[in-house]
Amino acid sequence: MVEPEERPSVAGQRLGAPESMGISTLEPGQRPPTMPPGRRVSIRVQMLDDTQEVFEVSQRASGKVLFDLVCAHLNLIEGDYFSLEYQDQRKMTVWLDLLKPILKQIRRPKNTILRFVVKFFPPDHTQLLEELTRYLFALQIKHDLACGRLTCNESSAALLVSHIVQSEIGDFDEVQCKQHLLNNKYIPVQDALMDKIIEYHRKHVGQTPAESDYQLLEIARRLEMYGVRLYPAKDREGTKLSLAVAHSGVLVFQGHTKINAFNWSKVRKLSFKRKRFLIKLRPDLNSSCQDTLEFMMGSRDCCKVFWKICVEYHAFFRLFEEPKPKPKPVLFTRGSSFRFSGRTQRQVIDYVKDTEFKKVPFERSPQHSESPSAGQVMVNGQKQSLNLGQSPDGRQPSPLTSPLLTDAGFIRTDDEDEVRRKRFPTDKAYFIAKELLTTERTYLKDLEVITVSFQKSVEKDEAMPDSLRNLIFANFEPVCKFHETFLKDVEQRLAQWEGRSNAHIKGDYQRIGDVMLKNIQGLKLLTAHLQKHSEALLELERMCRSSRKLEGLCRDFELQKVCYLPLNIFFLRPLHRLMHYKQILERLCKHYPPTHDDFRDSRAALADVSEMVVQLHGTLIKMENFQKLLELKKDLIGIDNLALPGREFIRLGCLSKLSGKGLQQRMFFLFNDVLMYTSRGMTASNQFKVHGQLPLYGMTIRESEDEWGVPHSFTLFGQRQSVVVAASSASEMEKWVEDIKMAIELADKCNGPSAEILSSSFTDSKSPEESSADQESDDDLSASRTSLEWQTPHRSNTTVHVCWHRNTSVSMVDFSVALENQLSGNLLRKFKNSNGWQKLWVVFTNFSLFFYKTHQDEYPLASLPLLGYSITIPSESENIHKDYVFKLHFKSHVYYFRSESEYTFERWMEVIRSATCSSSHIRSLSRKEPHVY
C-alpha cells in the first residue's frame, strides 16, 4: 500500500502540499479502503503521460482498492471516466474488474503493467467539470493520435497538434516550435504537415494550457473515431466489419467509416452465444430492419469482452444510479452475473457540482523537456532524498499529480476551502473585470446572431434587397470583428491576472483599465457604424411592410432557437453595450483610490465612453421606443398601425375591467396618446385582440373603490365613454394611476387627438368579438397558466404573455433597465427538492434568465421569465448552508442559485431586483438627461 508518511509524493514536493492520501473517487469524502491483511504485492501502473508508478496492495485486494489508490495519488475527483487495462495471458486487452480480487485476474503481477486510460468518452467535453480531468482526456487524445487510433483529415490533425504544442510550450516562437516538433512526434504524418501545424500554432497567442486542452477536446469530440475502440467482427455474409460502443449505443464500422449505429433507445437486449454477438432491437413498424442482428467475433472471449464494455457504457451513460446486484440463485445459475460497478455519469456530475467551489486547483509543471520514458519508475513507498520538484531520474515530475489536500487528507473542510480562495484574486477589481469578460462573451454571441445566423438565413432567400443587406451587414460586421479582438484582449488579461499564463511573471497585469482605454478609443472610430444601426432597423421595418416574403423570412428567423430575443432587440445591442461599459467603469473608478495604478486609465476610459453615450443616447431612447412598438405590434391584432410617428409606449399589464358580467381580466396598453384594452385571443398564435381605444386627450381619472366596492379600482372618464378598472394590488394601482395621469398631462399639452385615433376608437358597446371574449371560461384561463419554461415557440413567451399569466405590469423604464442591466456568468442552480447543484451559464436580459450549458452554446436550453418572482436570501430552515446563495420564488416555484463571490452575488441580486420590481414612468424624465462624467 502507498505509505505517504515516509515520503511525500513528487507532486507534493513540487507544490508544497501537505502529505496526504487524497480522495477515493468511488467513495467521495471517505478514507481509501482498509487494506486486507496478508502479504503485499507490487503493481506497476503506467499513467497517461507514460510515467510509471508502483502501488503496493494486499494479495487479497480487489481491483477497486488499486484504482482508488491511483485516483487518490492523482487527486482525481472525476475518476469514474477512467479505468485500468492490461493484457491477459491470451494477449487480449481487458479492463480490470473492480469487484474481483486483483490476483485472480492478473496471474503474473511482476510481469504485468496496467495502463491508466480513459474508459468512458462523454459526447460533450463540457460535462467534464475539472481542469485535471480535461487535461487527462487531452493526454488520451494525444496518445490516440500518435498510435493512429484517432484518425482524421490532415487539416484537423494539424489543428489538433497545434493546440497540443500551444499547451506544452506556450505562445508561438518559430524556432522553438520547429525544434519541439522535431523532438516530439504527435501524428504519423507529422513531417508532411509541419508548415500547417506552425501556421495554426501562430494563431493561438495568449491561449492558456487549459484553453488549449478545451479546444483540443472540442475538435476531437466531433471526429468520427473519437473514443472509438474497434472490435473485429463479421456479419452473416462473412463481410469483415468492426464493432464499437459509444455513449449513444452500438456502432458498426467498415474500416474507419461508420456504416450503422444502434441507439440505446432502439436496443432491447444485448447478448452473446459462443462466438456470436446478438443485438435484439425493439419492434419498429417503419423500418425493414430485422428484429435480431448477429455478428461473428474471433472467439467467445472476444464476444464476452465486448459485451461487458457495452453493459458498462449503457449503465454509465443511461442510468441514474449504479445498478443493484442481482440476488444469488439458490440452486442453478443462468447467464453472466457481471454488472457495472461505480458511479454513473449522472452521479459523478451531481457530486462534482455539489462541491463546485471546493475544488483544489490543478497546477501543471513546465513541459519543455521530453516526457519520461516508460522504463523510468517511481515507487511510492520508497525512501529517497530528492530536491524540491525533482523526480528520481532528475527530470521534471509528472504533471498529472495534482496538489494533495488537507493534513487529514480525506475531507475538504470549509477552513481548507478558505485557504484555497486566498490563492486566487479576491480584489473587487478582479471580479469587475471578470464581469466585463462574461458579458463581452454574451455580447459577441448577440452580434453573431445578426452577422452569422441572420445573414445565413438571408443568403438562402432573395427576399432582402441588396441595399438593405449592405446597410445591415456592412455596419455590423466591422463592429463584430472589433469585439472579437476586444474579447481576446480581456481573456488574455484575466488569464494573466489569475496566474493561468506564464506571461504574468513579466509584469503587473492585475488591472483592466488599460485594456478598456485602448479598446474604447478603438470603438470610438466605429461611431459612424453604430449610428447606422438605427437606420438599418428602420429600413428593415419599412421593407417588411412592403414585402410579405421578407416579413415571413424575419418571422421564421425569430422562431429559430438562436434568436432567443425579438430580432430587433439585437439591432440595439451595440448601443446597450456602451451603457454596460459605462457602468463597469463607474464601478471600477468608485472602487479604486485615486493613487491606484489603474485609476488613471479607468477614468480616461470612462470619460471616452461617457462622451459616446451622450452622443448616441438620444438615438437609443428613440430606438428603444420604436423597437417596443414593433414588438407589441406582433402581439396585437385589430389595429393596423401601432407605430405612429410621435407615439411613445409607457406601460402594459393586466387590469380587470368591470362590465355587466362582472370583472373580466384584460390586457391594457398605455401610450402617450391612447389607452388600449385587449383580450387574449384563442388563436394558434395567442395574440391579444384590441377591443377598445381610449384617447387620453380630455380624459380624467378618479379612484372609485368606495363607489363600486371593488378593491384597488379607479374610473377613467373619456370624451366618449367611461371605463371602470381594478388593479391586482395597491402598488399596481398606484403605478397605473401615476402613469396615466402623467400621460394625460402630456396629451393635453399637445394639439389634441389625431383624427386617426378618433376614427379607429371603439365604443364600449358589446361587439360579437368582445362578447365571446367576455365569456372566456375560467378553465381556459387556468389552462393557459402553464409553466413558462421554454416549451413552445417564442410567441407565447413574450413579456406581454408573461404579464398576462402573472397578472402584473411593466413600464418602458423597466424595459430599458432590463436591457441595459444585462449580466452573464456561471451559476450553480438547485431546485427546491433536489440534492445536487447544476452548473449553468446564465444570461440575464429582457426580464428573463436564459440557461446554457456553457458560454460556447449557440442557443439557450431554457428560459425563466422573472416578472412576478421574488428574490430573497434562503432562511436557516431551508438548510442550504452555502455562501452567496439567493432564492427565486413565485407561488410554488422555488429555485436556488449560488455565485462564486460576494461581488457577483450582489450584482445578480441587483440586476434581478431590477426585473422583479416594476417602476413608474416618472423615472424616465431623469433618464432622458443622462449624467455626464
Side-chain angles (χ1 to χ4, degrees), residues 882-933:
K882 302 287 184 183
D883 293 333
Y884 315 131
V885 176
F886 59 89
K887 171 185 173 183
L888 284 172
H889 53 100
F890 172 74
K891 295 185 178 178
S892 61
H893 302 284
V894 177
Y895 304 91
Y896 300 99
F897 293 91
R898 284 170 61 195
S899 54
E900 65 176 343
S901 68
E902 183 178 3
Y903 172 81
T904 51
F905 168 76
E906 290 173 351
R907 285 289 294 134
W908 280 106
M909 292 281 285
E910 177 186 347
V911 298
I912 291 176
R913 278 199 182 110
S914 73
T916 56
C917 302
S918 181
S919 322
S920 77
H921 192 75
I922 298 299
R923 287 172 46 197
S924 66
L925 300 178
S926 61
R927 186 175 164 270
K928 293 193 177 185
E929 296 179 1
H931 168 70
V932 181
Y933 179 78

Side-chain angles (χ1 to χ4, degrees), residues 217-442:
L217 296 176
E218 174 65 27
I219 299 162
R221 77 181 180 93
R222 300 177 187 274
L223 301 177
E224 195 161 70
M225 296 300 293
Y226 167 69
V228 168
R229 289 186 174 217
L230 299 177
Y231 294 79
K234 293 180 182 178
D235 62 12
R236 283 180 172 174
E237 285 73 39
T239 306
K240 289 186 177 180
L241 303 169
S242 294
L243 299 180
V245 63
H247 68 93
S248 57
V250 181
L251 313 177
V252 183
F253 284 81
Q254 197 160 35
H256 286 87
T257 303
K258 184 169 68 175
I259 61 172
N260 212 339
F262 303 102
N263 195 285
W264 293 127
S265 61
K266 296 180 180 179
V267 175
R268 183 179 172 189
K269 183 179 180 181
L270 294 176
S271 60
F272 67 95
K273 189 172 184 180
R274 298 186 179 89
K275 299 198 309 186
R276 291 182 298 150
F277 183 79
L278 306 171
I279 303 176
K280 193 165 188 178
L281 301 176
R282 298 184 187 280
D284 186 355
L285 299 177
N286 299 320
S287 174
S288 60
C289 187
Q290 54 192 338
D291 179 55
T292 302
L293 301 171
E294 183 177 305
F295 298 91
M296 296 293 291
M297 305 191 80
S299 65
R300 180 186 182 278
D301 290 335
C302 292
C303 259
K304 187 171 184 178
V305 167
F306 182 62
W307 175 78
K308 279 185 173 182
I309 188 62
C310 287
V311 170
E312 292 180 309
Y313 252 83
H314 176 268
F316 184 74
F317 287 108
R318 296 279 288 184
L319 301 185
F320 290 110
E321 58 185 19
E322 178 184 356
K324 301 292 186 291
K326 296 178 182 177
K328 291 185 178 180
V330 179
L331 295 176
F332 303 105
T333 61
R334 183 181 179 185
S336 174
S337 62
F338 175 78
R339 67 179 177 87
F340 170 74
S341 64
R343 295 182 297 200
T344 64
Q345 187 191 34
R346 173 64 64 88
Q347 289 175 309
V348 175
I349 290 174
D350 287 346
Y351 168 68
V352 178
K353 284 176 178 175
D354 197 36
T355 57
E356 178 64 28
F357 295 123
K358 294 190 176 182
K359 294 189 297 184
V360 173
F362 163 57
E363 300 180 16
R364 305 162 190 248
S365 65
Q367 298 184 33
H368 299 296
S369 59
E370 296 179 19
S371 299
S373 66
Q376 292 162 340
V377 180
M378 182 178 67
V379 183
N380 282 357
Q382 182 181 350
K383 293 183 180 179
Q384 296 186 29
S385 175
L386 297 174
N387 295 326
L388 183 64
Q390 186 182 13
S391 62
D393 58 2
R395 297 176 186 267
Q396 289 288 346
S398 165
L400 286 188
T401 312
S402 274
L404 301 177
L405 304 179
T406 61
D407 291 333
F410 309 118
I411 302 174
R412 290 173 177 167
T413 63
D414 290 337
D415 292 339
E416 182 263 346
D417 186 37
E418 186 63 31
V419 171
R420 182 194 69 79
R421 284 178 182 169
K422 292 178 180 177
R423 299 175 59 184
F424 287 88
T426 55
D427 183 23
K428 184 178 180 180
Y430 163 75
F431 292 108
I432 295 174
K434 194 167 183 181
E435 180 184 333
L436 172 65
L437 170 65
T438 56
T439 53
E440 190 70 16
R441 284 172 171 164
T442 298

Side-chain angles (χ1 to χ4, degrees), residues 9 28 175 187 193 230 287 331 368 413 453 455 492 508 523-524 585 610 657 771 775 818 827 836 886 905 907:
S9 72
V175 175
I187 49 176
L193 297 178
L230 299 177
S287 174
L331 295 176
H368 299 296
T413 63
S453 304
Q455 183 165 223
Q492 185 171 359
D508 177 18
L523 190 57
K524 288 178 74 175
L585 286 163
S610 297
K657 177 175 172 288
S771 297
Q775 292 168 8
L827 287 175
F886 59 89
F905 168 76
R907 285 289 294 134

Side-chain angles (χ1 to χ4, degrees), residues 34-178:
T34 304
M35 195 67 68
R39 282 178 50 199
R40 303 293 175 88
V41 61
S42 297
I43 306 289
R44 282 197 295 173
V45 178
Q46 183 166 315
M47 301 298 184
L48 278 164
D49 63 346
D50 292 333
T51 59
Q52 290 185 12
E53 291 281 347
V54 174
F55 296 88
E56 291 188 349
V57 297
S58 165
Q59 286 184 325
R60 302 180 188 177
S62 66
K64 179 177 180 293
V65 172
L66 175 61
F67 185 68
D68 275 5
L69 289 175
V70 175
C71 291
H73 172 69
L74 297 174
N75 187 29
L76 179 60
I77 302 298
E78 297 173 292
D80 304 80
Y81 290 99
F82 304 83
S83 193
L84 297 167
E85 65 175 10
Y86 65 97
Q87 272 198 341
D88 63 10
Q89 66 273 17
R90 300 158 297 182
K91 300 299 181 183
M92 289 180 59
T93 300
V94 295
W95 297 104
L96 184 71
D97 191 324
L98 300 183
L99 299 182
K100 292 183 179 179
I102 297 171
L103 294 190
K104 284 194 175 181
Q105 303 178 69
I106 303 174
R107 303 299 182 187
R108 303 173 67 187
K110 288 185 179 179
N111 300 325
T112 303
I113 299 176
L114 284 83
R115 289 182 296 276
F116 178 80
V117 294
V118 176
K119 185 175 186 178
F120 300 112
F121 289 81
D124 187 352
H125 59 288
T126 59
Q127 294 171 343
L128 307 174
L129 303 181
E130 293 216 323
E131 184 186 342
L132 170 60
T133 314
R134 292 191 292 271
Y135 172 64
L136 293 172
F137 266 74
L139 287 180
Q140 183 69 64
I141 298 301
K142 177 180 169 183
H143 179 270
D144 290 351
L145 275 173
C147 71
R149 178 184 290 166
L150 180 59
T151 57
C152 56
N153 60 44
E154 291 185 351
S155 181
S156 296
L159 187 56
L160 287 165
V161 173
S162 70
H163 284 296
I164 295 172
V165 174
Q166 173 72 18
S167 174
E168 293 186 353
I169 68 173
D171 289 346
F172 178 75
D173 177 278
E174 189 164 358
V175 175
Q176 184 187 20
C177 180
K178 283 185 176 179

Side-chain angles (χ1 to χ4, degrees), residues 654-656 711-714 725-734 736 807:
C654 272
L655 291 172
S656 295
H712 321 307
S713 63
F714 53 96
V725 294
S728 59
S729 65
S731 61
E732 276 291 300
M733 174 182 167
E734 182 182 351
W736 274 107
N807 199 18

